[in-house]
Amino acid sequence: MRYAILADIHSNLVAFQAVLANIEARGGFDEIWCLGDIVGYGPEPHACIELLRSYKHVCVAGNHDWAAIGKIDVSDFNPAAARACRWTAQQLTNQDIDYLQNLPEKLVLGDFTLVHGSPRHPIWEYLLSISEARDNFSYFDTSFCLAGHSHVPLVFGQDKVGNCIRGGIPNEIRLTSRDNRLIINPGGVGQPRDGDPMASYVIYDGDTQTIFHYRVSYNIASTQRKMIDCGLPSSLILRLNYGR
Ligand code: ZN
């Protein structure tokens, strides 16, 4: 089985479609594991939910998914994110709202725990530093954790005596050795923030127990034109150029 692991699509349908086309060109996939934030920031929230739901998939809840339906408060959002969130809320169908409402905070699938933010605080916590990762290794029981939220492709490792390392995600990670537990962030599909504007995702090949990381260029200008038409904040439109 091959799993497409996608995080932070953020209503960016053009990026989402480019990623799916890229995976198809690499031999396709059997199932999507989505790490939350399907919506928020971008111009096509309903279409992104609909496209995700057209595939066999699982998905955990992101902060933007629940803020858009009023399940959590937007008071922690910056003004541009809050404005986009209010706009997003008006675009959702009743079925979209039901779907987002029922997303779980955490999923355990075989050797993997799936969360949006972190195992300790699945909705809100950003995992960027070694100290944050070190604390979080004790909040999940599986060998591996998949997390999104920071929009930065990263890997944290913990060896048997508890030493932790942090690194950029390599092109290929073999999971056959159980010497290290790992927390893997595939990077963001719809709003990358590591300085590279290309969409980021990983494939997990269950047969070879290997994770492959890919970047995909997409028509950023097309998404930006749609955002202008929707009256979304200019800061959110411009940041797509820089991946910041
Ligand atoms: Zn996000």
Side-chain angles (χ1 to χ4, degrees):
M1 293 276 279
R2 279 160 61 84
Y3 304 90
I5 299 166
L6 313 181
D8 297 285
I9 295 165
H10 279 300
S11 305
N12 189 339
L13 183 67
V14 179
F16 188 13
Q17 288 171 326
V19 163
L20 292 173
N22 189 270
I23 307 172
E24 284 304 332
R26 296 181 187 283
F29 62 91
D30 299 292
E31 190 172 329
I32 296 174
W33 289 358
C34 177
L35 304 180
D37 278 3
I38 310 164
V39 303
Y41 295 132
E44 292 178 280
H46 166 71
C48 285
I49 295 171
E50 197 171 48
L51 182 58
L52 177 63
R53 294 185 70 184
S54 72
Y55 290 94
K56 185 168 192 282
H57 78 285
V58 296
C59 184
V60 292
N63 53 320
H64 286 260
D65 300 320
W66 278 0
I69 58 168
K71 190 163 176 168
I72 57 173
D73 196 28
V74 291
S75 57
D76 286 336
F77 280 33
N78 66 50
R83 205 175 114 200
C85 182
R86 287 191 291 273
W87 178 85
T88 299
Q90 295 162 3
Q91 316 306 316
L92 300 174
T93 66
N94 288 338
Q95 284 174 333
D96 295 337
I97 293 167
D98 274 355
Y99 174 79
L100 296 176
Q101 178 78 31
N102 290 306
L103 292 177
E105 288 190 35
K106 194 183 279 194
L107 281 171
V108 176
L109 302 169
D111 282 338
F112 295 87
T113 298
L114 278 60
V115 290
H116 178 62
S118 76
R120 176 169 55 186
H121 299 298
I123 302 297
W124 283 110
E125 185 178 24
Y126 288 95
L127 274 185
L128 286 165
S129 71
I130 283 199
S131 63
E132 289 156 344
R134 188 181 294 118
D135 294 344
N136 268 282
F137 274 108
S138 56
Y139 285 84
F140 65 102
D141 299 322
T142 53
S143 297
F144 310 112
C145 175
L146 301 167
H149 194 40
S150 69
H151 307 194
V152 176
L154 275 176
V155 181
F156 298 97
Q158 184 195 47
D159 67 16
K160 285 203 158 65
V161 292
N163 295 315
C164 287
I165 52 163
R166 173 193 190 274
I169 185 166
N171 292 338
E172 222 177 288
I173 309 173
R174 302 278 294 176
L175 303 182
T176 41
S177 152
R178 289 292 190 273
D179 292 342
N180 290 305
R181 297 177 73 214
L182 301 175
I183 300 173
I184 299 166
N185 187 322
V189 169
Q191 193 203 73
R193 291 183 193 161
D194 62 326
D196 181 343
M198 290 195 285
S200 181
Y201 77 95
V202 304
I203 290 175
Y204 171 57
D205 184 320
D207 297 334
T208 59
Q209 296 185 51
T210 308
I211 287 204
F212 299 94
H213 177 226
Y214 299 107
R215 300 303 291 245
V216 184
S217 60
Y218 70 97
N219 191 338
I220 294 173
S222 169
T223 294
Q224 290 173 318
R225 275 193 299 274
K226 293 177 187 188
M227 291 174 78
I228 292 167
D229 290 346
C230 297
L232 287 162
S234 56
S235 59
L236 300 180
I237 298 170
L238 289 171
R239 70 187 301 175
L240 296 179
N241 288 329
Y242 309 107
R244 290 281 182 204

